[in-house]
């Protein structure tokens, strides 16, 4: 069992700050579409990034286990919030992952690693909605 | 329907950075207990803060609607991750909220507002596990 402790302090209007031990604080706010200010992380953004960063850390875990070397990994995620019979909720998160490999022959192996990440990520397991991963392997013309 | 878009870029080892439009980037990493470095936000921290900050923004919403003025609001949250039959998952989040009111006679009203926040917070509705709020109203000896 592991426990993750964070705090939130209201600062002014629709804004606050969240802390986690010695980690850099993050300013948080109500989303603009619900009366909050622009350009501040919202609870919905944090949830989307939580899922997307868990897909990354899980992929790193399975890639390392399989001896796969990545040149780059990036993802774009979108979390959709909708009215449901149960109230407002995030109903799906899609994570589009783009990976460049050092060795293009490891494509099948990295696909397997990302698939395992998608199936076992603890954040996805904690959500009611599906977290769908779409994987794109970039061609690698570079020689190094 | 609202969409929240973020991205994650792997930087090195077990670390990456998450972005959301023009918002300040957040460094993210695998938790230390799973081989990551210390003092960096993890997916589990972000999930816990997502729930806790949603309780704050929802409370601000219902407090404003009810004409309640708060002097301060802060919360400590803990997210518990455990092995479940379905794999590792967050199994409960507890948010301890401490509020100081400007007008102590609004205690019943703020309790109602926090209760509504607990029941309707969209992040809680998106999670499989319960998000429990424990509310403490601070005494207010100050005169202002």
């Amino acid at each position: 069992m592991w426990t993750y402790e964070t705090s939130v302090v209201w600062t002014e209007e629709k804004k606050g700050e969240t802390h986690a031990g010695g980690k850099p604080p993050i300013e948080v706010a109500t989303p603009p579409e619900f009366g909050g200010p622009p350009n501040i992380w919202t609870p919905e953004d944090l949830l989307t990034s939580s899922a997307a960063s868990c897909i990354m850390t899980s992929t790193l875990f399975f890639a390392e286990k399989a001896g796969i070397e990545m040149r780059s990994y990036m993802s774009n995620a979108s979390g959709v919030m909708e009215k449901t019979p149960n109230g407002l909720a995030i109903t799906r998160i899609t994570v589009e992952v783009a990976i460049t490999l050092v060795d293009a022959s490891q494509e099948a192996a990295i696909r397997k690693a990302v698939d395992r990440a998608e199936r076992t990520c603890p954040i996805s397991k904690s959500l009611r909605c599906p977290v769908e991963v779409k994987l794109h392997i970039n061609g690698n013309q570079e020689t190094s």
Side-chain angles (χ1 to χ4, degrees), chain A residues 10-131:
Chain A
W10 173 52
T11 51
E12 55 167 353
E13 294 166 357
K14 305 286 188 195
K15 295 189 276 188
E17 211 170 59
T18 183
H19 297 251
K23 303 169 189 186
I26 303 167
E27 193 173 19
V28 290
T30 303
E33 50 274 28
F34 298 102
N39 293 324
I40 298 183
W41 285 85
T42 68
E44 292 78 3
D45 295 331
L46 292 176
L47 185 74
T48 304
S49 276
S50 168
S53 57
C54 188
I55 295 296
M56 180 192 77
T57 56
S58 300
T59 297
L60 291 173
F61 176 80
F62 291 116
E64 185 178 65
K65 245 177 112 165
I68 302 165
E69 216 183 324
M70 294 190 294
R71 190 180 300 285
S72 68
Y73 172 108
M74 81 90 61
S75 67
N76 288 314
S78 65
V80 171
M81 188 163 78
E82 293 178 281
K83 284 182 188 156
T84 75
N86 194 30
L88 276 181
I90 305 284
T91 54
R92 63 178 182 277
I93 296 176
T94 307
V95 185
E96 299 229 22
V97 176
I99 291 174
T100 309
L101 292 165
V102 170
D103 176 355
S105 77
Q106 292 188 312
E107 179 167 338
I110 192 70
R111 287 193 181 279
K112 201 170 158 186
V114 172
D115 184 59
R116 289 182 75 181
E118 183 177 20
R119 283 184 289 112
T120 62
C121 155
I123 302 299
S124 305
K125 296 274 185 199
S126 307
L127 293 170
R128 285 187 190 281
C129 71
V131 177

